[in-house]
Amino acid sequence: MRARTLAPLIPSAALLLSGCAGSPGPAPREAPPMRLVAYDGCGPLLDGLRRATAARVDSYGLHDGEPLMDGALPKVAVPGGAAPAPADGRAAKAPEHTGTNTREPGVDEPDIVKTDGRRIVALAGGRLQVIDPATRRITHTLRLAQGRGRLPGGRSQLLLSGDRALVLTPRSPYVLYERPAPPSDLVPPDGGPGGRAQTELTLVDLSGAPRVVGRMTTESAYVDARQNGSVVRVVVRSTPRIAFPPYEQQAREKNLARNKEIVQKAPVDAWLPAFTVGEGKDRKTYRTPCDQVSRPASYTGTTMLTVLTFDLLGGLGDPSPVGIAANGETVYGTGSSLYVTGTPPAPFGQGSSGTDAEPGPERTDVHKFDVTAPGRPKYVASGSVSGHLLNQYAMSELSGNLRIATTAGPTFGPAPGTAPATTASPSQSAVRVLAREGARLNEVGQVGGLGKGERIYSVRFVGPLAYVVTFRQVDPLYVVDLNDPRRPRVTGELKISGYSAYLHPMADGRLLGIGQDADAAGRTRGLQASLFDVRGTPRRVAAYRLPGASSQAEFEPHAFTYVPGTGLVVVPVSSPLQGGGEALALRVTGTDIREVGRIRHLGKGYADSVQRSLVIGDTLWTFSEEGARATATTTLTDQAWLPFTPG
């Protein structure tokens, strides 16, 4: 098979890792160097994909088929910063407001509520709801398309640019097969029984009454998206669409030979997903050009990771797809780079059910793309690190280097809310620095041995420093100095009860942690907000506890709202005793955290649970599936209740 090294001229997206830090110690086993290679055309591409897929076929079909029976939706990573300014210039006249809490300033991330200060756009009840915050009323609603056949809609998210809103909807099939989904010629186009994961993008014009001006569908699972200005990159992944006949009892070898032969005859379109834009006579289908597909140099995956590019001001046209024959799970973006990370497949038979083979060393592959230009992203480099990452907050780019925190080794506990395992876990974490050297992201520095027997619960990079929280029975907060990327070092460690699952930088060298309090045995006891002074030796200067409660902000940073000028912090909270959930407002000052009040929506059901909040001027807005509530930020007095139009 002919392949060529991928030069920094081919679009790509970098894979990022999340990790943890602790006291120095022996480093986890290193991952091998990694780079991408590109194909010279459809012939070499098809040959490579057939070989890789045939190697993973068993007597039932493709070993790496779509997950079945769980109806699970793909994980959507979520994060913190300010939303980009609308292209129509209205932001300059808009009142002061908070945007979606994103990982990087100026890089927006999909969420269920967006605002530009002049309008609020929310997704609830199967509708897009448009609110005028000045008059405190819902001005428009738009019913969104529902899932077709047996393809239920996942939780839609949206992005906003000027008068355009992009709604991203993952759809996941409920299937009743014990093995990979049936062939494409047996699958109804609406994704009926035996259907596949799909992603639907809907572009809505908001200049007047909302109207749909574009739609794209693909039989690919949604991973995540990032927005720079009006340009959006959407990351999806897909598995081969290959027909395998029913398994014949007592004919295992015959089945296996037959399935391998089927793979060797499959066309290239079985691996390259279709992206259908428009409907009816205006419908057009696009696929990734063969010369825009690459693979890791050490292997070829059967999963196809694809990055799509759209300019919301120009509509949904050719998505300019770029593909990698590899897995993709976590997305991290800056103003100039897009990283995508994924776990490579174990050699067939390792870690598979029904075998005793030991799995290979765990690692995460990282791919970096240049997104400074508005069109197709350009591939930059790839690398690998040992272990797995928590989420996109375990990655950070500074001065062209990627800092990444990972945990390696099995982590047996504790899961939040449970007692720790009695057997020590061999897990440990590390913070690593990857620098670009040609088409590779090579490790140039690391500090390992952090949180032995624990796993990372949160990571935050602030300038040249990294703050890493690990947990088993107590919460070590590690401070890692990355000023010298080739010699990172732990400069501080603080052990307290419980853990912080989300860390947010505050003014004057402070850090706010949202997580759980815990007893000496590691059993969680309720919500805990901790204020740390990290200007020198880290110390906790204040704490707030709400017994028996938890917050969505612990695992969903988009649910966290902070107004720097006032010290106001708002997070959703819930407890088994409440039934529903409410918004908790805290005031964080230099050495104090105090409760300002709580905001409830109607009733005590799930639909009334507060999920998001934002501030426009002197009004705090909170959102649930049932509606939006306007509250004065200073007194928390009620100003208006806006019930959403149900779907």
Side-chain angles (χ1 to χ4, degrees):
M1 176 183 65
R2 294 182 297 136
R4 53 188 170 84
T5 300
L6 207 59
L9 294 176
I10 295 182
S12 161
L15 296 168
L16 288 174
L17 268 206
S18 104
C20 127
S23 52
R29 180 175 176 178
E30 298 305 314
M34 209 275 288
R35 61 187 173 88
L36 289 184
V37 295
Y39 293 95
D40 288 332
C42 292
L45 171 62
L46 179 57
D47 181 58
L49 292 172
R50 283 173 172 174
R51 289 174 183 267
T53 305
R56 304 190 73 83
V57 160
D58 60 18
S59 56
Y60 287 91
L62 180 58
H63 182 69
D64 290 342
E66 291 276 2
L68 305 180
M69 297 294 291
D70 57 5
L73 294 173
K75 292 183 179 179
V76 179
V78 271
D88 60 4
R90 294 183 306 147
K93 303 176 184 179
E96 291 291 327
H97 62 279
T98 59
T100 300
N101 181 32
T102 60
R103 174 66 183 85
E104 293 285 350
V107 181
D108 206 12
E109 302 167 2
D111 197 20
I112 57 177
V113 178
K114 292 288 178 180
T115 186
D116 57 10
R118 298 290 299 272
R119 66 160 69 95
I120 298 171
V121 183
L123 295 174
R127 288 178 177 265
L128 186 146
Q129 320 264 355
V130 182
I131 298 173
D132 180 358
T135 60
R136 298 181 187 136
R137 64 187 183 90
I138 297 175
T139 56
H140 300 287
T141 67
L142 175 67
R143 186 176 185 274
L144 300 171
Q146 300 298 307
R148 304 176 182 88
R150 295 191 184 180
L151 213 58
R155 185 64 188 269
S156 295
Q157 297 180 313
L158 65 90
L159 291 164
L160 185 65
S161 179
D163 288 329
R164 294 291 177 92
L166 180 66
V167 181
L168 306 100
T169 303
R171 301 195 187 282
S172 180
Y174 288 98
V175 293
L176 302 176
Y177 299 91
E178 297 181 354
R179 286 286 164 173
S184 57
D185 58 348
L186 299 180
V187 179
D190 64 356
R196 304 167 63 84
Q198 293 186 6
T199 299
E200 182 174 278
L201 307 183
T202 305
L203 185 63
V204 180
D205 185 280
L206 301 172
S207 58
R211 60 189 180 92
V212 175
V213 294
R215 199 184 303 276
M216 189 212 78
T217 58
T218 176
E219 286 193 347
S220 302
Y222 173 67
V223 178
D224 210 342
R226 292 295 179 271
Q227 178 180 349
N228 297 69
S230 62
V231 178
V232 174
R233 269 85 185 194
V234 181
V235 182
V236 296
R237 66 172 176 262
S238 56
T239 53
R241 293 183 60 84
I242 299 176
F244 294 106
Y247 180 82
E248 296 181 17
Q249 297 294 331
Q250 311 301 324
R252 181 178 181 278
E253 295 301 325
K254 177 183 176 182
N255 292 334
L256 179 60
R258 177 201 61 197
N259 290 345
K260 286 183 177 292
E261 182 180 359
I262 290 172
V263 169
Q264 293 298 337
K265 294 181 179 180
V268 70
D269 285 353
W271 287 270
L272 297 180
F275 306 100
T276 302
V277 178
E279 298 176 311
K281 64 179 181 179
D282 297 326
R283 174 174 174 170
K284 293 184 178 180
T285 297
Y286 302 89
R287 295 184 190 271
T288 309
C290 294
D291 63 358
Q292 295 296 333
V293 179
S294 54
R295 66 170 178 84
S298 59
Y299 69 92
T300 298
T302 60
T303 298
M304 187 65 64
L305 178 70
T306 308
V307 181
L308 310 174
T309 299
F310 302 95
D311 189 329
L312 300 191
L313 300 184
L316 299 182
D318 184 349
S320 302
V322 178
I324 303 176
N327 193 22
E329 299 156 355
T330 304
V331 176
Y332 162 68
T334 71
S336 59
S337 303
L338 181 70
Y339 293 86
V340 182
T341 69
T343 303
F348 190 65
Q350 289 192 359
S352 305
S353 60
T355 73
D356 296 325
E358 289 293 326
E362 60 178 337
R363 80 172 201 255
T364 299
D365 289 345
V366 182
H367 307 290
K368 177 180 180 179
F369 294 80
D370 182 343
V371 294
T372 53
R376 196 173 253 141
K378 296 180 179 180
Y379 172 72
V380 176
S382 297
S384 287
V385 293
S386 296
H388 60 273
L389 60 82
L390 175 67
N391 53 32
Q392 66 156 336
Y393 280 81
M395 299 177 275
S396 171
E397 184 182 78
L398 182 67
S399 301
N401 293 332
L402 176 64
R403 294 90 57 83
I404 186 169
T406 58
T407 298
T411 52
F412 298 122
T418 64
T422 56
T423 304
S425 168
S427 64
Q428 59 176 298
S429 300
V431 177
R432 305 167 189 274
V433 181
L434 303 182
R436 178 191 171 192
E437 297 176 0
R440 285 193 174 100
L441 295 175
N442 289 335
E443 183 176 313
V444 297
Q446 71 150 274
V447 56
L450 310 179
K452 294 181 180 179
E454 303 171 343
R455 70 171 177 87
I456 292 174
Y457 269 67
S458 60
V459 183
R460 193 75 194 220
F461 290 90
V462 181
L465 299 177
Y467 303 97
V468 182
V469 171
T470 62
F471 180 70
R472 184 177 177 84
Q473 288 177 283
V474 294
D475 169 4
L477 169 66
Y478 297 104
V479 181
V480 181
D481 187 336
L482 297 160
N483 276 286
D484 183 348
R486 297 185 178 272
R487 294 177 179 82
R489 59 196 180 96
V490 174
T491 58
E493 179 180 345
L494 173 66
K495 292 186 177 181
I496 58 175
S497 61
Y499 62 86
S500 296
Y502 174 70
L503 297 171
H504 196 87
M506 312 293 279
D508 303 323
R510 294 170 300 143
L511 200 65
L512 181 67
I514 303 295
Q516 287 285 304
D517 185 20
D519 60 20
R523 296 181 178 86
T524 56
R525 299 188 291 196
L527 180 70
Q528 176 173 263
S530 300
L531 184 62
F532 303 101
D533 186 330
V534 292
R535 287 173 292 188
T537 301
R539 60 193 182 96
R540 183 164 65 179
V541 296
Y544 168 88
R545 297 179 180 87
L546 190 59
S550 62
S551 174
Q552 190 180 3
E554 296 175 42
F555 57 89
E556 171 54 281
H558 291 162
F560 179 92
T561 298
Y562 171 52
V563 186
T566 65
L568 179 67
V569 170
V570 183
V571 296
V573 294
S574 61
S575 69
L577 298 179
Q578 282 182 305
E582 57 193 2
L584 170 67
L586 303 173
R587 189 79 64 186
V588 180
T589 58
T591 58
D592 184 50
I593 304 175
R594 62 182 179 86
E595 180 178 328
V596 178
R598 305 183 198 181
I599 301 168
R600 290 194 66 87
H601 286 197
L602 304 176
K604 293 185 178 181
Y606 169 78
D608 301 305
S609 297
V610 175
Q611 299 174 345
R612 295 292 187 273
S613 61
L614 58 85
V615 173
I616 300 178
D618 57 1
T619 300
L620 168 64
W621 290 86
T622 52
F623 303 88
S624 66
E625 276 289 304
E626 290 296 306
R629 186 174 294 283
T631 309
T633 56
T634 53
T635 62
L636 291 193
T637 54
D638 187 51
Q639 294 178 331
W641 166 251
L642 284 63
F644 286 148
T645 302

